Amino acid sequence: MIKSNSVVLLGDFNPAIFSPDWILRHLDFSVDDGEKPEIKFIHGEISDFMMSDIRFTTERNRFMITSASHDIELIASLALQMFNEVLVHTPMWAYGVNFEKHIDFVSHETRNKIGRELCPLEPWGSWASDFDNADPELNSGLSNISMKKIHSKKPEIYEVFSIQPSNISDMKGTGIFFKINNHFGDKNQSNKNDEKFRNTLFENLREKLIVYKNTFEEIVEHFMKKGGVSE
């Protein structure tokens, strides 16, 4: 099993101000491992660097913190520190909380069975008549499927759950990639400078975090039970 967690914020950002030094000066960065940060870019259009297994990526309208080793609680706490305590006047209109996992289902047959349940061949008619092949590399079928669950129009709240064959080499032919995006925001950006909306946005992020996490785990566990596998 390989996983990743991330928090994405949509707003008006200045990428040039974000750097490892800025993080250490302004945040309670308790996971600092003393290793030298890996800096890809720091300039006016994009800032992208890694420190202590956490990647910080900032563009003009998008900020993302992601990690393959740290829990979502830590990732979210850093985002909240940055924009709910330090940069409190940054215009903000949406966030996303994302979870990803690659799970090995041990056999190609098991993975293919789940794929066929999610994307049956019958609706595709004669075009799909030759999809089945014993060779995993020649077997055709599900490439990417997403389900969207809508909770609210104003604010815009929804979940998108996606499933794909895993691209991890160690799971070739047997792995499944699961991802969920939990979105909360103002679709028209009309409230991006409104303090009340901003407080609601960050309060929702803080309060819903465990719900997002549990929902993702429950859906993944559902498919793992179908495949008879455990982490």
Side-chain angles (χ1 to χ4, degrees):
M1 185 268 290
I2 299 173
K3 67 177 184 177
S4 177
N5 306 312
S6 66
V7 172
V8 177
L9 300 173
L10 301 182
D12 294 329
F13 305 108
N14 178 8
I17 72 168
F18 297 105
S19 68
D21 287 342
W22 189 94
I23 297 295
L24 294 174
R25 282 201 314 271
H26 294 283
L27 305 186
D28 177 18
F29 197 67
S30 57
V31 293
D32 183 12
D33 59 9
E35 294 291 323
K36 186 177 180 180
E38 300 175 21
I39 300 175
K40 292 182 68 176
F41 307 103
I42 296 180
H43 57 69
E45 295 301 318
I46 184 171
S47 172
D48 189 358
F49 55 88
M50 174 89 78
M51 50 193 303
S52 303
D53 295 320
I54 301 174
R55 181 170 295 282
F56 297 83
T57 306
T58 313
E59 302 172 34
R60 285 291 184 182
N61 298 124
R62 187 173 185 268
F63 173 86
M64 181 169 70
I65 306 180
T66 183
S67 177
S69 56
H70 296 292
D71 291 335
I72 193 64
E73 288 84 359
L74 173 65
I75 305 302
S77 72
L78 291 171
L80 288 166
Q81 283 185 64
M82 293 178 78
F83 297 103
N84 199 35
E85 297 177 20
V86 181
L87 300 172
V88 295
H89 299 297
T90 301
M92 201 83 61
W93 61 82
Y95 74 72
V97 175
N98 309 308
F99 299 92
E100 300 179 359
K101 272 189 179 181
H102 295 262
I103 303 287
D104 192 346
F105 279 72
V106 184
S107 73
H108 168 66
E109 290 74 20
T110 299
R111 187 181 80 168
N112 194 52
K113 180 175 181 292
I114 293 173
R116 293 290 188 256
E117 289 184 16
L118 291 170
C119 292
L121 302 187
E122 182 187 8
W124 298 93
S126 61
W127 180 67
S129 62
D130 58 351
F131 271 31
D132 284 320
N133 196 299
D135 183 343
E137 294 186 27
L138 292 175
N139 187 68
S140 304
L142 186 155
S143 175
N144 183 15
I145 186 172
S146 296
M147 295 288 283
K148 185 174 185 178
K149 185 174 184 177
I150 301 171
H151 296 280
S152 169
K153 291 194 296 183
K154 292 185 179 180
E156 186 181 45
I157 305 174
Y158 61 78
E159 305 162 53
V160 177
F161 194 95
S162 302
I163 299 178
Q164 301 175 23
S166 174
N167 61 3
I168 301 297
S169 59
D170 290 346
M171 301 182 191
K172 191 173 182 179
T174 62
I176 299 179
F177 172 70
F178 300 98
K179 178 180 180 179
I180 195 169
N181 167 244
N182 300 277
H183 175 89
F184 179 101
D186 173 17
K187 186 176 183 179
N188 298 318
Q189 305 179 24
S190 58
N191 292 310
K192 68 178 184 179
N193 292 303
D194 182 79
E195 184 178 356
K196 183 178 179 181
F197 174 77
R198 183 190 182 89
N199 290 338
T200 299
L201 186 147
F202 285 123
E203 180 180 348
N204 199 83
L205 171 58
R206 190 181 295 107
E207 292 183 353
K208 295 291 187 180
L209 203 62
I210 190 64
V211 176
Y212 296 152
K213 184 177 180 178
N214 288 344
T215 297
F216 178 66
E217 296 294 344
E218 287 169 5
I219 301 172
V220 172
E221 184 178 353
H222 165 77
F223 285 104
M224 291 175 66
K225 285 182 177 178
K226 274 184 168 293
V229 299
S230 60
E231 292 185 13

